[in-house]
Amino acid sequence: MAEILKSACPLNCWDSCGFHVTVENDKIIKVEGDPSHPITKGKICGRGRMLETRTNSPERLLHPLKKVNGEFKPITWNQALDEIAFNLKEIKDLYGSTAVLHSHDYANNGILKNLDQRFFNGYGGVTEIYGSLCWGAGIEAQKWDFGDAYGHAPDDVLASKNIVVWGRNVARTNMHFYEKLLEARKNGANIIVIDPLFNATAKIADKYISVKPGMDGILAAGIMKEVLRLGLEDREFIKLHTQGFHDVEKLVDSLTIEKISEMTEVSIENIQMLAKVFADRPTSTYMGLGLQRYKNGGNTIRLIDALVAVSGNIGIHGGGANYANLQVGQSFDIGNLTLSGRKTSHRQFSIMKQAEEVLAAVNPEIKMIIVTCGNPLTQLPDSSVVEKAFSSISTLVVVDQFMTDTARLADYILPTTTSFEEEDLYYSSMYHHYVNYGPKLVPAPGEAKSDLWIWTQLAERLGFGDDFTFSRNQWLEMTLQSLADKGITLDTLKERKTLELPVKPIPWSDFQFKTPSGKFEFTATYKGELTLAVPDESKWSNPELAQDFPYNLLTIHPLRSNHSQHYHLFPKAPQLKVEVAENIAADKQLKDGDLVRVWNKRGEVRGSLSILPKAHPNTINIDEGIWKQFGGSVNSLTSSRESDNGLGSTLYDCLVNLEKIT
Ligand SMILES: Nc1nc2c(c(=O)[nH]1)N[C@H]1C(S)=C(S)[C@@H](COP(=O)(O)OP(=O)(O)OC[C@H]3O[C@@H](n4cnc5c(=O)[nH]c(N)nc54)[C@H](O)[C@@H]3O)O[C@H]1N2
Ligand SMILES: Nc1nc2c(c(=O)[nH]1)N[C@H]1C(S)=C(S)[C@@H](COP(=O)(O)OP(=O)(O)OC[C@H]3O[C@@H](n4cnc5c(=O)[nH]c(N)nc54)[C@H](O)[C@@H]3O)O[C@H]1N2
Ligand code: SF4
Ligand SMILES: [Mo]
């Protein structure tokens, strides 16, 4: 008989939805929204619903595989684990444990997914990756300004007079915030969207501002310049709670408003309009992650933070420089899980440049890469180098559910469970502050095993099995330890399925910042002043490059797939679509459906053209995540450079050219 059971979405997404899952005869039948979830209220997206297909797909990996003479052969778990453990032991003895690279991303938000780190720490400490393709530049920027990256509780936006959505593709990537925007609009809030693409969120805005990609920091400086010229700044907040304001005044004096308008390709009237919007408090700012994936990404977020501060919108109801909400993740005792004290060796590669680092590594060279919760071949920048690096090392182990582009390169593939086949807790530090419980609902197909089971087995073979002798219940209790006195225990969570975490709904309302000075730092204590930096690939920084490659390439997140996770499950095979601004199509006399080639010095892709109405001139978009077999990866075009503060990617800082092919 069919049963409807509660669960939660594991996908790396802003929304962290609650699910109602229909289960019949140990099989997932349907995934829907849980109407009783306090934030997501029964609505979920197609990616969530398709977790049914992901779980039941006949393409699931069912047995451990080993590549022998270029072909994958099924082997037993014992053989796979014995051989990998033997390899790990030998590598550690001969070269040291940092000859192993753990390459990962965050494809699954489950708390127990962190136990991979416990394994690698117990092993002695491997080469780890630092930084983030996703939000790294902006997180670091907010740490310099505020001391941490905290956002307002979802309902607080209903108190805003004005809402500025700055480079966040809300309708596509953050559907429950979109619902809130509709509610706020009904209440009379004024919504402004700043984005180079006229996306679905722009359609519901009162005003859409089209900006040249990568120029938002300069735009924020221009708005501040106007705020100051008109005397609309919040003098009291600046005087009592900030440090380095004088540097801001100097900075905005260094460019004329005409120059700012020329660089940002935003009219002076619109810059003046935005100054009045920010001064008309409370104005909330909701930044996306797309806008900081540039060389100048850290400065971009810092300049927007500065604008929010100068206009007096910090720490107030209906305000905020909302980017992420790290308070959520900080609620848990993740350190209890990872046991970083166990490691005795240590080396780090940046996530962006891991492929180059692998190729260049000495003392020790990389002898083995273990990939978890990531698909580096499609998701890391500059894929041709990634392919070279991941093909060059003697042992590549990939833990995944499907034969991805990365898995194809592996020497061993270990088949893992989907979220409905194991128990875990899910949360996201991107938007709301509720933790969700996800029980095991169905048995895993074939011989698929959870990531945790794999670490436990390997730890046993390597002699630190005692670190893993805990039940799921015990692991989850360990993670929730610090929350017990707030009434959040595993038992209550199992019973209620979702619980609100004790985080501040309006961060910084006490004006006690976590910076060294305790103030909001326009000039960061250790890190220096704001600068009016531009992207690496632009006519302002590299005119010759811009002559040969005149178009900005964005590779934003796809509507129907979470990165690379859903494309192969579409009923109709996806195609690579090259979306171009109207002026490009007009200049090159192209029409919808034309076959085009997009290239730069790093690589090329081919696809069919689609004209994007109202996109910023000279802008192209190709959605990311597309597998090789469907025309990908768009990352053959992107650069592995790091952002200004070293911790973010420059995925959208990318100039290309385009031509029609037959
Ligand atoms: N459907 C779907 N939803 C997702 C995901 C997915 O893969 N698919 N992934 C999830 C994850 S991991 C993340 S990180 C989030 C990301 O969520 P978002 O930040 O919303 O999405 P991105 O695709 O990273 O960024 C895209 C937005 O930034 C704009 N943009 C790009 N460059 C600039 C710029 O220079 N200035 C300005 N002002 N805007 C710019 C783009 O035009 C686009 O509207 O989405 C999550 N949700
Ligand atoms: N050009 C371009 N590139 C981008 C981006 C962009 O905007 N443009 N966005 C970047 C961003 S924001 C992000 S967050 C990254 C995401 O990059 P990734 O996290 O690498 O991408 P995903 O496709 O979500 O997932 C990777 C793999 O994890 C597997 N997986 C899912 N669940 C599990 C599990 O429980 N265990 C294990 N072992 N594996 C699992 C999936 O099957 C999939 O093959 O991509 C980045 N890359
Ligand atoms: S992908 Fe995001 S919006 Fe979709 S169901 Fe999962 S958490 Fe919700
Ligand atoms: Mo992301």
Side-chain angles (χ1 to χ4, degrees), residues 568-621:
H568 61 298
L569 304 168
F570 289 179
K572 191 169 158 241
Q575 276 187 326
L576 193 137
K577 191 157 82 176
V578 180
E579 299 177 308
V580 304
E582 287 156 310
N583 80 302
I584 301 175
D587 293 350
K588 303 225 166 202
Q589 299 185 329
L590 297 168
K591 57 180 189 325
D592 279 341
D594 282 350
L595 201 59
V596 292
R597 175 172 94 95
V598 179
W599 82 98
N600 61 18
K601 288 179 185 160
R602 289 177 288 266
E604 73 162 54
V605 296
R606 288 152 187 247
S608 79
L609 188 107
S610 168
I611 299 169
L612 260 189
K614 296 195 210 177
H616 199 82
N618 300 317
T619 307
I620 297 178
N621 175 56

Side-chain angles (χ1 to χ4, degrees), residues 488-530:
I488 297 174
T489 62
L490 188 58
D491 287 338
T492 44
L493 195 48
K494 279 185 180 180
E495 187 195 317
R496 309 253 306 272
K497 314 298 182 203
T498 185
L499 289 172
E500 185 171 12
L501 293 164
V503 307
K504 291 192 173 150
I506 302 171
W508 319 120
S509 59
D510 55 2
F511 303 123
Q512 304 294 308
F513 296 96
K514 284 170 71 182
T515 54
S517 65
K519 300 190 168 191
F520 177 91
E521 298 194 352
F522 292 113
T523 299
T525 299
Y526 303 122
K527 318 282 182 170
E529 294 174 19
L530 291 164

Side-chain angles (χ1 to χ4, degrees), residues 103 124 130 146 154 179 243 297 325 362 406 433 467 474 544 632 642 645:
S103 176
Y130 72 89
F146 297 91
E179 298 282 320
Q243 143 176 320
N325 203 359
V362 285
T406 307
H433 55 284
D467 278 351
Q474 286 170 317
E544 300 82 47
E642 289 131 356
N645 56 29

Side-chain angles (χ1 to χ4, degrees), residues 112-279:
L112 298 187
K113 294 292 156 184
N114 289 289
L115 288 163
D116 53 4
Q117 288 178 47
R118 186 185 187 96
F119 172 78
F120 291 112
N121 289 334
Y123 171 63
V126 292
T127 298
E128 295 168 1
I129 51 175
Y130 72 89
S132 161
L133 300 169
C134 175
W135 62 2
I139 295 283
E140 184 67 3
Q142 293 216 316
K143 285 187 177 166
W144 295 7
D145 298 340
F146 297 91
D148 219 329
Y150 293 166
H152 287 223
D155 269 341
D156 191 60
V157 72
L158 300 175
S160 307
K161 220 193 255 183
N162 302 287
I163 304 164
V164 179
V165 178
W166 204 324
R168 191 186 300 186
N169 199 359
V170 180
R172 180 187 287 201
T173 65
N174 186 190
M175 64 178 284
H176 298 93
F177 181 48
Y178 184 73
E179 298 282 320
K180 285 269 179 273
L181 286 181
L182 293 175
E183 201 179 331
R185 199 175 82 152
K186 220 186 268 166
N187 294 344
N190 177 36
I191 300 177
I192 293 175
V193 166
I194 307 177
D195 203 298
L197 304 182
F198 184 76
N199 55 30
T201 316
K203 288 186 187 146
I204 62 150
D206 296 279
K207 184 88 187 165
Y208 164 62
I209 308 287
S210 173
V211 61
K212 180 75 176 167
M215 292 300 188
D216 306 80
I218 311 274
L219 176 60
I223 304 169
M224 268 192 283
K225 189 179 176 78
E226 267 303 291
V227 167
L228 296 175
R229 186 181 70 83
L230 298 169
L232 298 173
E233 70 275 17
D234 185 342
R235 281 273 147 200
E236 182 163 295
F237 175 79
I238 293 169
K239 186 164 157 237
L240 296 177
H241 306 301
T242 73
Q243 143 176 320
F245 177 62
H246 201 56
D247 295 329
V248 177
E249 291 180 301
K250 270 197 305 199
L251 188 80
V252 302
D253 274 349
S254 68
L255 284 182
T256 63
I257 197 79
E258 288 77 18
K259 187 74 191 172
I260 290 172
S261 172
E262 184 193 349
M263 292 177 82
T264 56
E265 301 177 9
V266 175
S267 69
I268 294 177
E269 297 74 59
N270 276 338
I271 297 173
Q272 288 170 336
M273 180 276 293
L274 286 166
K276 292 191 181 126
V277 163
F278 275 91

Side-chain angles (χ1 to χ4, degrees), residues 68-89:
V68 185
N69 301 325
E71 298 226 342
F72 285 114
K73 296 259 173 337
I75 56 173
T76 63
W77 271 110
N78 267 336
Q79 185 188 345
L81 296 163
D82 288 348
E83 289 183 13
I84 293 166
F86 178 83
N87 248 325
L88 282 167
K89 230 180 249 166

Side-chain angles (χ1 to χ4, degrees), residues 556-575:
I556 68 169
H557 294 197
L559 175 64
R560 295 196 168 76
S561 184
N562 221 54
H563 308 296
S564 67
Q565 294 200 45
H566 296 74
Y567 284 107
H568 61 298
L569 304 168
F570 289 179
K572 191 169 158 241
Q575 276 187 326

Side-chain angles (χ1 to χ4, degrees), residues 8-123:
C9 187
L11 293 170
N12 183 1
C13 174
W14 297 94
D15 292 57
S16 204
C17 292
F19 282 166
H20 266 183
V21 183
T22 310
V23 181
E24 189 169 16
N25 298 331
D26 280 348
K27 191 171 173 234
I28 304 292
I29 304 293
K30 194 159 43 163
V31 181
E32 296 168 296
D34 171 3
S36 73
H37 192 281
I39 301 290
T40 63
K41 295 183 180 159
K43 290 199 176 167
I44 61 166
C45 77
R47 295 165 288 148
R49 280 192 293 273
M50 266 180 83
L51 291 173
E52 176 273 312
T53 325
R54 260 190 85 82
T55 303
N56 293 325
S57 168
E59 291 169 37
R60 281 283 296 275
L61 295 167
L62 301 178
H63 308 282
L65 299 173
K66 179 181 181 180
K67 202 179 266 160
V68 185
N69 301 325
E71 298 226 342
F72 285 114
K73 296 259 173 337
I75 56 173
T76 63
W77 271 110
N78 267 336
Q79 185 188 345
L81 296 163
D82 288 348
E83 289 183 13
I84 293 166
F86 178 83
N87 248 325
L88 282 167
K89 230 180 249 166
E90 196 175 62
I91 289 170
K92 187 172 169 181
D93 290 346
L94 292 175
Y95 313 101
S97 57
T98 56
V100 175
L101 169 70
H102 176 209
S103 176
H104 69 95
D105 211 301
Y106 296 94
N108 178 317
N109 272 341
I111 281 188
L112 298 187
K113 294 292 156 184
N114 289 289
L115 288 163
D116 53 4
Q117 288 178 47
R118 186 185 187 96
F119 172 78
F120 291 112
N121 289 334
Y123 171 63

